Amino acid sequence: MEFSELIKTATVEDVLLSRQGLPDVRGTLCITSHHLLLSSRPRGDLELWLLIRNVDAVEKRVCGSSGSITLRCKDLKVLQLEIPGTEECLNVASSIEALSSVDSVMMLYPFFHRPPSLRLRQGWHPCAPERLFQQLAAQTSRWRLSAVNRDFSACPSYPPAVIVPAAVADDTVAKAARFRQGGRFPVLSYFHAKNGTALLRSSQPLPGPKRRRCLEDEQLLGTVVAEGEDNATTPLSPCRGRPLQESFARLVEACGEPAPSVERWLGRLDSSRWLGHVKAALSTACLAAQCLDREGCSVLVHGAEGTDTTLLVTALAQLILQPACRTLEGFQALLEREWIQVRVVFVMWRRVRVPAHLGALTQPPHGQAGHPFQLRCARSAASPARGKREAPVFLLFLDCVWQLSRQFPFSLEFGEQLLLTLFDNAYASAYGTFLCNSEKERRLCRLRERTPSLWARLEQPEEKHKYLNPLYSHNPLPLWPCGQPQGIQLWHAIPVPERRAQLRPAPSLAGFFLRWIRPCRHLDEAWEEMRRLVQGDKSSLEEGEGKGRAGPSPRLGHGTHAETGTGQGPGVGLG
Amino acid sequence: MEFAELIKTPRADNVVLHRPFHLAVEGTLCLTGHHLIFSSRRKDNTEELWLLHSNIDSIEKRFVGSLGTIVIRCKDLRIIQLDIPGMEECLNIASSIEALSTLDSVTLMYPFFYRPMFEVLEDGWSSFLLEQEFELLSSVTNEWRLSCVNKEFSVCPSYPPLVIVPKSVDDEALRKVALFRQGGRFPVLSYYHKKNGMAMMRSSQPLTGTNGRRCKEDEKLVNATLRSGRRGFVIDTRPLTVAQQARAKGGGFEQEVHYPQWRRIHKCIERFNILQESFIKLVEACNDQSHNMDRWLSKLEASNWLTHIKELLTAACLAAQCIDREGASVLVHGSEGTDSTLQVTSLAQIILDPRCRTIRGFEALVVREWLQAGHPFQQRCAQSAYSNSKQKWEAPVFLLFLECVWQIHRQFPCSFEFNEHFLILLFEHAYASQFGTFLGNNESERAKLKLPQKTMSLWSWVNRPEELSRFQNPLYEANSLVIWPSVAPQSLQLWEGVFLRWNRTSRFLEEAEEERIHIIKYNKELQAKVNALRRQLAEMETDGEVQQDGP
């Protein structure tokens, strides 16, 4: 397939672009294989540079000889294009539709994107278990790195290297693998160094109708668990994919409503149930972390189909317990380990036995490793539950991390900007990091060799500072989040000094869900006035610099701030 | 009366104090005339709690065997619990607290006994005089004059002795207008918008009654603020139906026939028991321990608190818009003109006037638009959200205003010189204080009580440099613009600093705030260094040029 076949009209003149909170712009619209560009007409400024993959839904309306297209983006931005000429309008709409839903991974932008400052292969880390093991080996000798899966023979969906108890031999592991669905035998996810407890994950056991046992499996788990622990299981009901997607869609719809009454807004916020999901995820993670830290129990997390939220539970539990996960680098490693490379699902377990009824409830997992980003993040809030496979599980995780960062403003090295960037890139990216559904697919597509890594970009010094939390200081303690509903808030922005908030009239309104929406005309007016003020300041800065040559100018100090502000330009939203 | 008569058991040992997010502490409880004092005797960690009796909103006692428990709910929304061994001691202490926290006589209140431990640099009682305000005004316009028609509080008992009125209206006319307005509250200047010379006035409702009485002097007074050929806006804080019903009781509104240059706009700002009930419901929801998200959100919704915020902000924005955008003068009133009227006029000034966003300017605003304008603080703030008494005149009118300021502050974090703590401080002191500032219902009562002579002013204390530094917003950079807040429900948030203050661990949030302040200070220092170096460089460059151009 050639992109040119999909692009029926490549350029249209005299297109009017409207966006929330920004003045309308008229200019020339261009469609390239991966981007939608709009350059304003008299001056040729590039006003829009949109990755077409970011488009979630296209709505077109034709009236008379012109048409309008509304683009709902995956990052919740909404754009409107007024296009003269019915045919052009329909062509543009269908081109965007086709280009935004290209099936083949290899056609996506990361395979074409070659940022000048990055080398390919840079930022693609060695396999996560190996990295984890390096740290682990320093703390305990009870675990070892096993190559039992080096040719993917024990478990096709596991990485080649896995961490298993040191006391268990490879052939025992291989036998245990046969007792588990898809061969996903119990492996170490997290070792709690404080008291030597472990968070493990696996798939469900296959006892069958005859209640078959597997001594090797029991032996494997038995080596992990200390004697005399209680036998309770905790029933958990993390939200399944589809209700979560609906919840997300409802919340976004409520956020975008122009002028609701307070009752209506709170009613819609309530009926979206999003905050309830956030609360449930946080308290479940808390529970898992408590079992490890307070009760000194090991925890096994294993799979049932569809319950993807459980993923975020294991990742959150680690964030709660382990200070190393709270640095920028540690958080990246956590994401690689828990989200990108291995897919797990969750059932609480505190000893060897898994109750039979859970076996009945569970269904076979897909044969995938890692969170199936490509399936889950194919569509965002504008297309409610179109496919069964989409679910904003990752967003829910990011929201929970944001809640943690709000409750513990010192303890995370990264700031809100990182969470927003991760969301954007999971849904539409110029980088290969979140592409594909499994390690196997990733190898087939040769992502490492052929696409740039998001991590490499984040590690560049000029990028990195944007994502750091200026308040960070190392906190060796677990972060027990507040589970009260009163303590959980819709993701809004936290003003930090560096953001020069006064140049953006309402940063605290933004956050994730409301970041493109400035619901009141007053704010737009204020924004305009601010812009004028800033420009005024800038010109007086230039004046000041002129004077600076002749003699000292007291205005220089203020001018520098103003300059950073205008440098961002009016095109920058609140986010 | 002697306080000693009310205190049957002045001291109890082995009392255990419980507070949310704190470990229980054992110590000694002492009652004095104005304070409940708890001190723990542990060597490693001495702790003292001083609670003003006037801060106590309600108490509840329970017994398990001979161990009594007193739950104290405070007006600042804190809840503490004391376990007191001995039934008699517990009963005595409970009844003393009850008696001492509900003293009838103002002159028995703590401010009359409080002797400050600090040096008074500036007497807050004379920090904000209307004369100074008028001086500022007369430097930009001569259309107004200072009238002392109310010198003896005879024309309007709830107005201060001095008021600002249009120059063209004499005192005789003012007396007549006062008879036409409820409680004698004739229209006076609230705010003058220098940018375009428009004025905001406030008053109470006109007493038109059912037969449409009119008052020529009143018409002349309000028209005096209009430019020729321009219209003005009357913002009535009551819905039209309520305003119409008011006529049956002798009240009413400005009728088009008699005020042809004025357009009337009706808003719906709730007062009295509706507001008080909303407050009670909200606080109850915040204290709900059921850990259920749906329940919390639906209780929050049912309290209607955020709706009140939205309505009030909308009305204030409207008033500000009429003045700034439409270039029209505005008259604001409801019924009495002592509650919703003041909320609207003061919030509109926050939006319009950068001076009101400074610490001193905000203090002046509170003095001018609330204390001198006759908001009955003593009635409104007698009880808070935990009170059982359903008296009609209690209402969190001032708290609602403070919360609206907080909402605007949150949207424009850099435009205010003060921080959230300053607003919380005012909330606390309006309800219970060692200072006399918020005592009495109007200036006339304050004069009779001789508050300036007998009590200390809150401003005397707040405006000392060491206290001021606690209330400064590190992000502040003077913003000379009108700031238009968003009133969409999506941008409103519950004021955690007040409503969730005692049931969350705020330690980290406060530390974070301190750290932010620190970072900003450090940034400023660095900036100063950069500027100095730049100057030095510029000087060296010019020197170098001089040398090159030289021989």
Side-chain angles (χ1 to χ4, degrees), chain A residues 254-255 257 260-263 265-267 269-270 273 275-276 279 406-410 470-471 483-486 488-489 492 494-495 497 500-502 505-509 514 519-523 525 529-530 548-549 552 556-558 560-561, chain B residues 285-289 291-294 296-298 300-301 304 306-307 310 317 321 325 410-414 475 477 479 481 484-491 493 496 500 503 508-509 511-512 515-516 519-520 527 531 534-535 538-539 541-542:
Chain A
C255 287
E257 187 172 333
S261 68
V262 175
E263 289 84 2
W265 158 245
L266 286 176
L269 180 63
D270 186 13
R273 310 190 69 87
L275 293 178
K279 179 179 171 287
R406 199 182 73 85
Q407 292 180 20
F408 301 92
F410 289 106
L471 302 181
Q484 281 183 319
Q486 290 96 329
I488 288 169
Q489 281 188 355
H492 64 81
I494 308 166
R500 301 305 313 159
Q502 99 280 11
S508 44
L509 293 177
L514 298 167
C520 187
R521 167 169 74 86
H522 293 148
L523 273 177
E525 287 172 1
E529 290 204 39
M530 296 282 175
R549 298 207 166 267
L556 275 171
H558 280 100
T560 328
H561 294 321
Chain B
C286 291
N287 290 331
D288 186 284
Q289 297 297 326
H291 285 259
N292 180 325
M293 182 60 78
D294 292 353
W296 156 242
L297 286 175
S298 63
L300 178 65
E301 185 192 332
N304 262 332
L306 291 176
T307 308
K310 180 176 178 258
C317 279
Q321 236 174 347
R325 293 287 146 116
R410 207 177 67 79
Q411 295 182 22
F412 295 89
C414 304
L475 294 175
E477 265 174 49
N479 168 3
L481 299 172
W484 298 111
S486 159
V487 296
Q490 290 98 325
S491 23
Q493 233 178 31
E496 280 186 288
L500 299 176
N503 39 7
F508 296 116
L509 302 178
E511 278 175 18
E515 188 65 29
R516 277 184 205 127
I519 289 175
I520 288 157
Q527 195 63 52
N531 289 345
R534 275 194 195 170
R535 271 199 294 275
E539 275 161 24
E541 272 177 5
T542 36

Side-chain angles (χ1 to χ4, degrees), chain B residues 245-409:
Chain B
Q245 283 158 12
R247 285 190 298 195
K249 292 179 197 154
F253 48 86
E254 292 80 1
Q255 260 145 352
E256 287 84 352
V257 260
H258 305 315
Y259 299 84
Q261 286 164 283
W262 292 81
R263 226 191 105 200
R264 216 175 54 245
I265 303 171
H266 290 274
K267 286 284 163 189
C268 174
I269 298 175
E270 298 292 355
R271 301 181 307 153
F272 300 134
N273 57 332
I274 294 183
L275 211 54
Q276 180 73 3
E277 272 161 31
S278 166
F279 182 37
I280 291 172
K281 275 190 201 157
L282 174 69
V283 171
E284 199 196 305
C286 291
N287 290 331
D288 186 284
Q289 297 297 326
S290 67
H291 285 259
N292 180 325
M293 182 60 78
D294 292 353
R295 199 176 143 105
W296 156 242
L297 286 175
S298 63
K299 278 188 150 191
L300 178 65
E301 185 192 332
S303 80
N304 262 332
W305 185 259
L306 291 176
T307 308
H308 299 315
I309 301 280
K310 180 176 178 258
E311 292 302 328
L312 182 51
L313 278 174
T314 312
C317 279
L318 177 76
Q321 236 174 347
C322 290
I323 293 171
D324 188 63
R325 293 287 146 116
E326 305 280 326
S329 282
V330 169
L331 170 65
V332 183
H333 70 72
S335 310
E336 292 90 346
T338 54
D339 295 276
S340 47
T341 306
L342 304 182
Q343 288 175 324
V344 173
T345 56
S346 51
L347 280 173
Q349 292 179 57
I350 294 277
I351 294 170
L352 293 171
D353 187 2
R355 200 163 58 100
C356 294
R357 299 173 219 141
T358 64
I359 293 185
R360 220 173 156 92
F362 190 72
E363 290 170 359
L365 181 78
V366 169
V367 171
R368 198 171 66 236
E369 290 297 300
W370 290 86
L371 292 162
Q372 295 177 348
H375 175 67
F377 274 99
Q378 205 172 303
Q379 287 182 355
R380 298 288 179 266
C381 303
Q383 299 269 259
S384 172
Y386 299 121
S387 71
N388 316 316
S389 79
K390 289 264 158 73
Q391 269 163 328
K392 201 189 150 198
W393 50 79
E394 280 132 16
V397 179
F398 187 59
L399 172 62
L400 194 67
F401 158 71
L402 292 177
E403 171 150 9
C404 286
V405 176
W406 178 81
Q407 300 281 357
I408 303 175
H409 193 300

